[in-house]
């Protein structure tokens, strides 16, 4: 906010700089082709934009009697309300002053349908010029009417009723009682706004109906902001004008403020503090600057600059409000706002609903979203972009390539398979050796897992399981490896793997049970023994594993306290078996005539980093499986 006219110490002469001049009683304002016109006591002044100087259009020699409102038509003719003389005068382009409407020094009401110069007015207040039609509107204050003078000079009443009527919105303006209309503004689309003595702003639409756009006509809701303008009590509003984007500006005189009503009907304060005061110097934020008794207000539609007049014992000037927004806000359609790719910063849809609009066309995406600064594409930056081993299919959700696992695809899959020496080795071939595979990550699934149509595994894990692993990356995998006739059954694997693709072997407090059902058990000819693969010793052993045979249901149950573990059933003829004192299984013949060879110590080493936890781990895994016996 800054001073535009006045505030100086020099008397007004033609050519004086606007801010050097001393004003007497600034009141009505008008704008014509970008230049401001001002009623100052008995003078009419014009601001020359090219050098910010003043030109005197009319002065005391014109014998103007208490002029107030002013407007200009499209031809540059000036219309001035001379209140005390009850007339509207017109200054022609050659400088001649004539009576346009009313009878000099004769107050009253008469003349509708006849020439305006023969009609009686009663303390008129303001005029509004229609640049398109040449018509002129007059607020006939004491007659409580708004009258219209057509370009041909005839006069009529367009609002107010002298014979009584309604005060309700939506009624025809000529059937509505209006209370002492004061200042007016005609919008570019033909709507006429006016202030009234009951502290409201009303609008006469082009269909001739009347409505209230600001003020509640009460006396108990002053100084309210950011609510509907019709719920606010205005304290003697005088000037009113419509801006280029449908916003409405109001000079609220007794509260020393300039208010704005947005097109959505919300009112705000753009200048003044609701306390009288003087801020002659330039103030960046006009809402924190003090003003006193603003009278009229106009808006330049080409620049959005707001001008208002102040008149009090402390200040006599015209001030200027230039649109100003602090970063990141920008002036868009007369409002400080900003947007990202056509969507307002405060719209829930901005940045595709996955980010914050920091400034114009600059989105800050939420975790898991990216894309052309609009946050419309999923991102996996928290997962190291899937470590290059997968595809980001949703926000922070990776779909790993076939040989990689874990939430960020950082763990290379290692599937145990049986080599020709009956040892389990690590493979990434998911097709050749593995019959079925299922993987559980750190979020353990408690529901049954179907390996295939005949097998099912159910996991029940203790609460402290992940704590014992010290929050390292890990996953549990269950699989079946082909035994290639080396054992009586296929190899069933239940392994715990860390981020280095290393199997971890834990000794648990509870046993894991593997149930092999529907087995053709011939105890008279064969012995059946459960073997587990010791991942520390890299060999098959019958140590720490029990074998339970239930002939009633043809089921063999293998039970062990070790995880990771791989389980097989070995069957051999009784007459061929020589029990060994060691835990290493000797060379034996299986039922299909094949041979099982004990793993050699030199083959040890595929699992080199295992840990052993005893006692405190609570983990129970129950595995239900049905095999097609080889």
């Amino acid at each position: 906010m800054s001073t535009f006219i006045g505030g100086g110490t020099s008397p007004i002469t033609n050519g004086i700089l606007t801010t050097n001049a001393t004003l007497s009683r600034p009141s009505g304002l008008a704008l014509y082709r970008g230049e401001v016109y001002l009623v100052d006591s008995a003078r009419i002044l014009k601001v020359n934009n090219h050098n910010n100087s003043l030109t005197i259009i009319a002065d005391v020699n014109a014998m103007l009697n208490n002029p107030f409102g002013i407007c200009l038509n499209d031809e540059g003719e000036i219309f001035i309300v001379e209140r005390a003389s009850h007339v509207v005068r017109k200054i022609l382009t050659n400088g001649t002053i004539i009576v346009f409407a009313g009878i000099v020094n004769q107050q009253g009401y008469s003349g509708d349908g006849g020439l305006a110069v023969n009609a009686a007015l009663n303390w008129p207040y303001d005029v509004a010029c229609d640049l398109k039609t040449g018509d002129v509107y007059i607020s006939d204050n004491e007659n409580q009417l708004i009258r219209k003078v057509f370009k041909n000079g005839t006069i009529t009443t367009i609002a107010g009723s002298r014979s009584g009527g309604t005060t309700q919105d939506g009624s025809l303006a000529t059937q509505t009682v209006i209370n002492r209309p004061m200042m007016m503004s005609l919008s570019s689309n033909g709507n006429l706004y006016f202030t009234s003595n009951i502290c409201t702003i009303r609008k006469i639409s082009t269909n001739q109906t009347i409505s209230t756009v600001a003020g509640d006509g009460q006396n108990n809701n002053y100084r309210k902001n950011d609510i509907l303008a019709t719920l606010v009590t205005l304290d003697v509003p005088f000037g009113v004008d419509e801006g280029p984007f449908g916003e409405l500006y109001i000079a609220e005189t007794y509260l020393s403020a300039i208010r704005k009503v947005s097109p959505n009907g919300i009112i705000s304060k753009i200048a003044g503090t609701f306390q009288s005061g003087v801020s002659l110097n330039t103030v960046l934020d006009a809402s924190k600057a003090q003003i006193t008794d603003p009278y009229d207000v106009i808006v330049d539609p080409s620049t959005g600059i707001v001008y208002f007049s102040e008149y009090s014992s402390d200040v006599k000037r015209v001030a200027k409000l230039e649109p100003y927004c602090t970063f990141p806000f920008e002036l868009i359609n007369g409002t400080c706002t900003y947007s990202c790719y056509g969507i307002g910063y405060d719209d829930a849809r901005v940045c595709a609903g996955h980010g914050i609009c920091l400034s114009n066309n600059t989105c800050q995406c939420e975790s898991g979203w990216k894309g052309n600064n609009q946050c419309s594409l999923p991102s996996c930056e928290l997962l190291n972009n899937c470590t290059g081993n997968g595809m980001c299919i949703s926000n922070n959700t990776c779909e790993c390539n076939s040989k990689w696992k874990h939430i960020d695809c950082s763990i290379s899959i290692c599937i145990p398979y049986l080599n020709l020496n009956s040892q389990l080795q690590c493979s990434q071939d998911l097709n050749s050796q593995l019959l079925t595979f299922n993987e559980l990550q750190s979020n353990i699934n408690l529901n049954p897992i179907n390996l295939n149509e005949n097998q099912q595994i159910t996991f029940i894990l203790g609460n402290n399981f992940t704590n014992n692993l010290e929050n390292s990356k890990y996953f549990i995998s269950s699989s079946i490896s082909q035994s290639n006739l080396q054992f009586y059954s296929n190899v069933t694997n239940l392994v715990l793997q860390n981020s280095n693709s290393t199997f971890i072997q834990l000794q648990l407090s509870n046993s894991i049970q593997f149930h092999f059902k529907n087995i053709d058990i011939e105890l008279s000819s064969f012995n059946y023994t459960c073997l587990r693969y010791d991942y520390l010793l890299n060999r098959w052993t019958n140590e720490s594993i029990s074998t339970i045979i239930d002939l009633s249901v043809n089921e063999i149950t293998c039970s062990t306290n070790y995880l990771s573990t791989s389980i097989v059933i070995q069957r051999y003829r009784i007459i061929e078996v020589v029990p060994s004192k060691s835990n290493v299984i000797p060379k034996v013949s299986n039922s299909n005539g094949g041979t099982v060879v004990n793993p050699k110590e030199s083959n040890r080493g595929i699992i080199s980093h295992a840990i052993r936890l005893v006692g405190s781990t609570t983990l129970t895994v129950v595995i239900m499986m049905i095999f097609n016996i080889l």
Side-chain angles (χ1 to χ4, degrees):
M1 185 184 77
S2 60
T3 297
F4 183 60
I5 309 174
T9 58
S10 301
I12 294 176
T13 58
N14 281 321
I16 188 174
L17 290 177
T18 57
T19 52
N20 290 339
T22 300
L23 297 180
S24 177
R25 186 184 177 187
S27 54
L29 292 168
L31 195 72
Y32 177 71
R33 296 183 179 177
E35 294 185 314
V36 174
Y37 289 73
L38 168 67
V39 176
D40 179 43
S41 188
R43 290 175 296 206
I44 309 300
L45 306 175
K46 183 186 82 168
V47 177
N48 303 297
N49 283 346
H50 66 281
N51 60 5
N52 288 327
S53 66
L54 292 176
T55 295
I56 301 173
I57 303 297
D59 59 14
V60 292
N61 294 325
M63 299 301 291
L64 296 176
N65 189 0
N66 194 18
F68 266 64
I70 181 174
C71 72
L72 286 84
N73 64 14
D74 191 50
E75 298 173 0
E77 296 173 324
I78 304 172
F79 298 83
I80 308 162
V81 171
E82 196 174 320
R83 289 206 73 209
S85 297
H86 312 289
V87 295
V88 175
R89 295 188 183 269
K90 179 167 73 170
I91 302 177
L92 304 178
T93 55
N94 62 8
T96 303
I97 300 179
I98 63 173
V99 173
F100 173 72
I103 303 170
V104 177
N105 295 325
Q106 180 177 324
Q107 68 184 102
Y109 168 77
S110 66
D112 271 1
L115 291 176
V117 293
N118 298 324
L121 305 177
N122 194 352
W123 291 93
Y125 226 107
D126 194 16
V127 283
C129 294
D130 191 332
L131 300 181
K132 296 178 182 178
T133 65
D135 301 335
V136 177
Y137 296 85
I138 304 169
S139 57
D140 196 353
N141 183 263
E142 290 298 320
N143 282 328
Q144 303 193 75
L145 304 173
I146 293 179
R147 306 179 80 174
K148 175 179 177 181
V149 180
F150 294 98
K151 190 172 184 179
N152 62 10
T154 60
I155 192 170
T156 187
T157 296
I158 67 158
S161 174
R162 291 173 54 83
S163 59
T166 181
T167 60
Q168 297 300 312
D169 285 349
S171 303
L172 285 175
T174 53
Q175 298 175 3
T176 304
V177 176
I178 59 176
N179 194 299
R180 289 183 172 83
M182 296 184 292
M183 306 303 286
M184 297 184 298
S185 172
L186 187 67
S187 71
S188 58
N189 60 8
N191 294 323
L192 182 69
Y193 297 92
F194 66 93
T195 58
S196 73
N197 198 44
I198 59 172
C199 300
T200 59
I201 312 296
R202 306 194 81 181
K203 178 178 73 172
I204 303 172
S205 301
T206 54
N207 63 3
Q208 302 306 309
T209 59
I210 195 168
S211 60
T212 302
V213 295
D216 61 1
Q218 306 298 317
N219 59 3
N220 58 357
N221 213 16
Y222 297 103
R223 300 180 178 86
K224 300 295 183 180
N225 281 306
D226 302 319
I227 63 173
L228 284 174
T230 51
L231 301 179
V232 172
T233 301
L234 299 175
D235 199 353
V236 189
F238 270 90
V240 59
D241 197 17
E242 187 183 62
F245 307 104
E247 74 277 24
L248 202 64
Y249 295 88
I250 304 167
E252 191 173 6
T253 305
Y254 281 16
L255 276 184
S256 298
I258 304 297
R259 310 291 286 271
K260 181 176 81 170
V261 180
S262 299
N264 62 3
I266 300 300
I267 194 170
S268 59
K269 176 175 64 67
I270 63 168
T273 62
F274 295 132
Q275 297 291 332
S276 297
V278 180
S279 299
L280 293 179
N281 297 323
T282 299
V283 179
L284 196 60
D285 186 353
S287 66
K288 298 178 181 178
Q290 286 188 313
I291 62 177
T292 299
D293 296 343
Y295 185 80
D296 200 6
V297 60
I298 57 172
V299 186
D300 188 337
S302 63
T303 63
I305 295 176
V306 177
Y307 303 90
F308 64 92
S309 55
E310 288 180 88
Y311 169 65
S312 71
S313 59
D314 297 318
V315 58
K316 300 174 180 65
R317 68 167 179 174
V318 175
K320 177 172 67 173
L321 300 174
E322 297 184 76
Y324 170 78
C325 302
T326 58
F327 183 84
F329 292 92
E330 299 179 5
L331 190 67
I332 300 176
N333 294 337
T335 301
C336 287
T337 185
Y338 60 93
S339 64
C340 282
Y341 307 96
I343 301 177
Y345 76 97
D346 54 353
D347 192 312
R349 302 170 299 159
V350 74
C351 302
H354 304 303
I356 300 173
C357 185
L358 295 178
S359 60
N360 195 40
N361 289 340
T362 302
C363 283
Q364 177 178 290
C365 300
E366 297 173 353
S367 174
W369 296 95
K370 63 177 183 179
N372 300 327
N373 294 323
Q374 296 186 49
C375 309
S376 59
L377 299 176
S379 169
C380 292
E381 72 271 11
L382 292 183
L383 304 179
N384 196 25
N385 292 319
C386 305
T387 327
N389 300 318
M391 179 186 300
C392 187
I393 59 173
S394 183
N395 56 316
N396 287 320
T397 303
C398 292
E399 183 179 87
C400 299
N401 297 337
S402 59
K403 297 181 180 182
W404 297 90
K405 288 293 176 182
H406 200 60
I407 188 172
D408 59 356
C409 305
S410 62
I411 299 178
S412 175
I413 293 176
C414 185
I415 304 303
Y417 82 99
L418 201 64
N419 64 17
L420 295 178
N421 293 323
S422 302
Q423 291 180 304
L424 287 176
Q425 292 185 344
C426 187
S427 172
Q428 287 189 334
D429 189 344
L430 301 183
N431 299 313
S432 61
Q433 296 295 334
L434 184 66
L435 294 181
T436 57
F437 175 78
N438 207 325
E439 172 255 335
L440 291 84
Q441 297 179 355
S442 57
N443 184 17
I444 303 298
N445 186 349
L446 299 181
N447 296 321
I449 299 170
N450 295 314
L451 290 179
N452 58 33
E453 61 183 4
N454 295 321
Q455 300 167 3
Q456 186 182 79
I457 300 177
T458 302
F459 292 88
I460 304 175
L461 294 158
N463 293 330
N464 62 345
F465 179 68
T466 55
N467 293 334
N468 289 329
L469 295 176
E470 299 179 353
N471 296 321
S472 63
K473 293 180 181 178
Y474 69 94
F475 70 94
I476 294 176
S477 64
S478 56
S479 63
I480 300 174
S481 304
Q482 293 177 338
S483 66
N484 297 325
L485 303 182
Q486 298 175 73
F487 293 108
Y488 184 60
S489 70
N490 284 334
V491 181
T492 302
N493 308 297
L494 184 63
V495 295
L496 179 65
Q497 185 179 334
N498 68 9
S499 58
N500 297 320
S501 299
T502 300
F503 294 133
I504 300 173
Q505 184 166 290
L506 306 176
Q507 186 174 357
L508 310 176
S509 58
N510 298 317
S511 64
I512 308 169
Q513 294 184 348
F514 296 74
H515 296 272
F516 297 83
K517 294 188 175 183
N518 299 328
I519 297 177
D520 186 12
I521 302 174
E522 300 179 44
L523 290 179
S524 60
S525 301
F526 297 94
N527 278 340
Y528 299 85
T529 301
C530 293
L531 305 179
R532 72 173 182 87
Y533 196 83
D534 191 317
Y535 283 90
L536 292 176
L537 300 177
N538 192 24
R539 67 178 185 177
W540 291 100
T541 179
N542 60 6
E543 183 184 39
S544 301
I545 187 170
S546 64
T547 304
I548 301 174
I549 300 174
D550 189 344
L551 290 176
S552 64
V553 291
N554 291 327
E555 177 180 300
I556 296 178
T557 300
C558 301
S559 180
T560 181
N561 287 68
Y562 281 92
L563 177 76
S564 298
T565 188
S566 295
I567 303 295
V568 295
I569 296 176
Q570 176 65 293
R571 186 178 78 167
Y572 53 91
R573 294 186 183 277
I574 295 176
I575 59 174
E576 296 180 351
V577 174
V578 180
S580 173
K581 294 183 180 179
S582 72
N583 290 325
V584 180
I585 303 303
K587 183 189 297 183
V588 295
S589 298
N590 65 20
S591 61
N592 295 311
T595 301
V596 177
V597 182
N598 294 330
K600 297 180 180 179
E601 294 294 321
S602 60
N603 291 326
R604 189 179 305 168
I606 62 169
I607 306 300
S608 58
H609 296 86
I611 61 174
R612 179 184 178 92
L613 303 178
V614 181
S616 62
T617 305
T618 303
L619 173 65
T620 302
V621 182
V622 180
I623 302 177
M624 303 296 296
M625 297 185 174
I626 302 174
F627 286 84
N628 293 322
I629 303 302
L630 296 177

